[in-house]
């Protein structure tokens, strides 16, 4: 089949590459000329495991363009994978989605517009009206939300837990289902509003689990229990399951914070106060800041103290720093008068963080530091010789925001070591 993908970001590129790999002809369209030039030249503007190889392997079935007409020409399905960031009010900003809808040219055959961007419930109905107003009755509409996680996006796309397709017309749903032939997964066929809600509810469920285990961790700290043991003990209960029970310094990224805010706002706009989600969001904000308290208990006032942030991306396997806990942490530390150094193997903090010293290596970031905070659980951090690293520091304090390192080894290397929800010395 011929597929057009609007948006060459994290989702659009993975979607385009995976559909090409399934044997479809794909044209990816973006509005940023440098991105399209880079992609045409074989460069990939984002860091996502396996993406470079997948794009290269499918070169003959993939084109990149700035031109709407070229993207739509012959396409049977047109994917929308543009950004939907939050506005000041917390609602999703759908301006890029509306631009795509308004850019669609008239076509003399039936095509299906498939929404992959995460949008509020009711957006599909609104797009349907706009298409009809524009006389584009032969453009069908489906909601086909994306559940991939950055860092594992290609595997998640090719081996999803489920494929959700919500449509107004059954033949549009069938067409989009056929496009996924070759992927072995249950298909949830439903109405558009339910498909939109499935995406938002799935993310709300995941963030609820994260804030839940973070609060359990905080109570563990206050009572002497160990959150790793507790998580294992509850995760073995089949009704609960083991995933998303890793306590840490809060969730971030381009989806969880904005989608939980958008659902909270969607509920509020509809006259409902989503109390549980409000609490989940607030717990997360407080969780990101708890590290500062931990540092103060070890170092006293942070004024003039040097703190090294190890990892800046919101999680390993990606260069994405949108809503990363590192941003809040760096901001709070600088506001307390601390000096902040930072290292990340792929994320470029220079674009978003002012006043931070960036180092090319973990050891460089730790130079003369009074404390280190493990922010992102990059596998590289397991390989560090901590005794050697500690020798470069002014004081050997490690706050392990992801419970990644071995407490005994760190203490043997001379560190005051503190994790999240674990016994401290
Ligand atoms: N990042 C994820 O892991 C993820 C997972 C699931 C769902 N989503 C959702 O998918 C959507 C896209 O997310 P992303 O992370 O890929 O965003 P992104 O910001 O990385 O990419 C969006 C791209 O769309 C382009 N664009 C803007 N207007 C355009 C237009 N009119 N025509 C063509 N391209 C245009 C931008 O230039 C940009 O390259 C969002 O709604 C997001 O919530 C993201």
């Amino acid at each position: 089949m011929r597929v057009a993908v609007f948006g060459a970001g994290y989702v659009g590129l993975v979607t385009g590459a995976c559909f090409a790999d399934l044997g479809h002809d794909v044209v990816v369209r973006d509005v940023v000329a440098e991105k399209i030039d880079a992609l045409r030249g074989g460069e990939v503007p984002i860091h996502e495991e396996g993406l470079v190889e997948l794009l290269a392997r499918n070169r003959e079935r993939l084109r990149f363009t700035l031109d709407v007409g070229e993207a739509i020409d012959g396409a049977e399905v047109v994917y929308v994978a543009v950004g939907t960031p939050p506005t000041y009010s917390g609602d999703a900003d759908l301006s890029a989605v509306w631009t795509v809808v308004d850019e669609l040219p008239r076509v003399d055959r039936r095509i299906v517009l498939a929404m992959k961007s995460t949008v509020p419930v009711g957006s599909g109905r609104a797009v349907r009206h706009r298409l009809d107003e524009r006389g584009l009755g032969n453009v069908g509409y489906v909601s086909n939300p994306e559940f991939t996680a950055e860092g594992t996006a290609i595997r998640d796309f090719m081996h999803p837990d489920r494929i959700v397709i919500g449509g107004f017309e059954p033949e549009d749903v069938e067409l989009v289902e056929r496009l996924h032939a070759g992927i072995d997964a249950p298909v949830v066929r439903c109405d558009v509003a339910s498909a939109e809600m499935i995406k938002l509810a799935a993310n709300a469920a995941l963030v609820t689990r994260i804030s839940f285990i973070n609060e359990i961790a905080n109570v563990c700290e206050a009572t002497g229990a160990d959150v790793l043991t507790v998580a294992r003990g509850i995760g073995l209960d089949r009704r609960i399951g083991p995933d998303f029970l890793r306590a840490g310094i809060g969730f971030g990224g381009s989806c969880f914070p904005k989608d939980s805010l958008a659902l909270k706002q969607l509920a509020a706009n509809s006259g409902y106060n989503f109390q549980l989600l409000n609490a989940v969001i607030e717990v997360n904000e407080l969780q990101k800041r708890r590290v500062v308290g931990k540092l103060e208990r070890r170092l006293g006032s942070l004024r003039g103290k040097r703190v090294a942030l190890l990892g800046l991306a919101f999680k390993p396997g990606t260069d994405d720093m949108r809503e990363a806990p590192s941003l809040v942490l760096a901001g709070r530390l600088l506001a307390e008068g601390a000096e902040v150094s930072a290292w990340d193997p792929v994320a470029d903090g220079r674009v978003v963080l002012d006043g931070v010293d960036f180092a090319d290596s973990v050891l460089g970031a730790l130079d003369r530091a009074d404390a280190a905070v493990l922010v992102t659980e990059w596998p590289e951090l397991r390989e560090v010789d901590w005794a050697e690293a500690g020798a470069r520091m002014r004081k050997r304090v490690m706050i392990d925001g992801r419970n990644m390192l071995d407490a005994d080894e760190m203490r043997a290397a001379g560190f005051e070591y503190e994790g999240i929800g674990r016994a401290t010395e």
Side-chain angles (χ1 to χ4, degrees):
M1 290 166 74
R2 263 276 288 115
V3 184
V5 180
F6 278 59
Y10 288 85
V11 169
L13 281 178
V14 169
T15 302
C18 289
F19 278 138
D21 206 48
L22 289 170
H24 303 299
D25 276 318
V26 180
V27 182
V28 178
R29 188 258 176 162
D30 205 286
V31 288
V32 179
E34 302 84 68
K35 252 188 203 184
I36 294 299
D37 286 345
L39 287 160
R40 282 178 176 155
E43 280 171 47
V44 182
I46 58 166
H47 178 87
E48 180 61 48
E49 185 81 19
L51 186 58
V52 175
E53 296 78 5
L54 197 66
L55 288 170
R57 194 164 78 216
N58 292 287
R59 274 206 92 68
E60 75 286 0
R61 280 192 296 275
L62 266 168
R63 274 180 295 142
F64 301 98
T65 185
L66 291 165
D67 186 59
V68 176
E70 188 185 343
I72 301 291
D73 187 30
E76 290 150 271
V77 181
V78 177
Y79 268 97
V80 182
V82 298
T84 50
T87 60
Y88 282 117
S89 62
D91 296 285
D93 177 354
L94 298 186
S95 52
V97 170
W98 289 121
T99 304
V100 175
V101 173
D102 291 339
E103 283 172 332
L104 278 184
R106 283 177 193 284
V107 282
D108 52 9
R109 60 191 188 312
R110 187 163 184 85
I111 62 170
V112 173
L113 190 66
M115 185 61 67
K116 222 168 226 326
S117 297
T118 304
V119 295
V121 183
S123 303
R125 171 76 42 207
V127 171
R128 180 70 268 157
H129 280 307
R130 186 93 144 229
L131 291 170
D132 292 340
E133 268 169 19
R134 290 196 52 218
L136 296 178
N138 57 347
V139 177
Y141 182 91
V142 303
S143 165
N144 176 210
E146 187 50 67
F147 300 97
T148 51
E150 285 174 29
T152 53
I154 291 168
R155 191 191 67 205
D156 296 347
F157 193 100
M158 292 305 213
H159 306 281
D161 293 336
R162 77 307 207 183
I163 297 164
V164 175
I165 312 173
F168 295 112
E169 305 295 338
E171 67 262 33
D172 296 340
V173 174
E174 277 159 30
L175 182 76
V176 172
E177 190 172 341
R178 275 210 305 284
L179 193 61
H180 291 80
I183 296 180
D184 183 21
V187 177
V188 179
R189 301 172 200 89
C190 58
D191 59 284
V192 171
S194 299
E196 292 166 340
M197 184 54 104
I198 288 170
K199 172 63 193 172
L200 294 176
N203 276 356
L206 294 171
V207 295
T208 301
R209 276 178 80 99
I210 297 172
S211 277
F212 167 76
I213 199 65
N214 283 341
E215 287 219 283
I216 292 289
N218 299 342
V219 181
C220 282
E221 282 177 12
T223 55
D226 180 87
V227 77
L228 293 189
T229 311
V230 173
R232 177 156 190 275
I234 62 174
L236 285 168
D237 185 325
R238 265 177 292 134
R239 295 167 302 178
I240 298 171
D243 295 333
F244 275 77
L245 288 180
R246 286 176 49 204
I249 51 174
F251 59 81
S254 66
C255 290
F256 283 169
K258 100 173 156 61
D259 293 348
S260 40
L261 198 58
L263 179 54
K264 167 187 156 156
Q265 231 22 74
L266 176 72
N269 297 343
S270 317
Y272 184 74
N273 179 12
F274 199 148
Q275 293 185 65
L276 179 61
L277 201 50
N278 294 344
V280 164
I281 293 167
E282 192 181 339
V283 166
N284 195 53
E285 284 312 312
L286 295 174
Q287 196 70 12
K288 290 187 240 173
R289 289 159 171 78
R290 272 177 75 86
V291 169
V292 177
K294 285 176 186 272
L295 288 168
E296 280 169 341
R297 277 191 292 281
R298 304 263 168 192
L299 303 177
S301 163
L302 297 180
R303 184 153 300 278
K305 303 280 165 45
R306 190 169 176 84
V307 179
L309 300 183
L310 304 180
L312 294 170
F314 83 94
K315 67 170 177 178
T318 181
D319 58 350
D320 200 342
M321 288 182 64
R322 287 178 282 184
E323 302 285 336
S326 62
L327 300 177
V328 172
L329 205 48
R332 284 291 305 117
L333 291 170
L334 291 169
E336 292 297 326
E339 287 172 29
V340 179
S341 60
W343 162 87
D344 192 284
V346 292
D348 185 3
R350 287 171 183 84
V351 192
V352 279
L353 283 172
D354 261 350
V356 171
D357 293 337
F358 295 96
D360 294 334
S361 65
V362 177
L363 295 185
L366 292 173
D367 241 351
R368 296 174 294 109
D370 295 285
V373 182
L374 192 155
V375 183
T376 315
E377 62 274 43
W378 284 106
E380 288 89 329
L381 292 168
R382 276 190 220 287
E383 312 303 323
V384 174
D385 176 339
W386 287 106
E388 182 196 345
R392 291 174 162 242
M393 298 174 70
R394 276 205 289 250
K395 201 161 187 278
R396 297 184 193 204
V397 171
M398 167 65 77
I399 307 296
D400 182 353
R402 302 292 176 183
N403 288 336
M404 181 192 193
L405 303 173
D406 186 285
D408 292 337
E409 279 175 23
M410 292 306 289
R411 287 176 189 136
F415 276 81
E416 285 181 40
Y417 171 86
E418 184 172 340
I420 307 289
R422 316 207 63 196
T424 50
E425 284 179 348

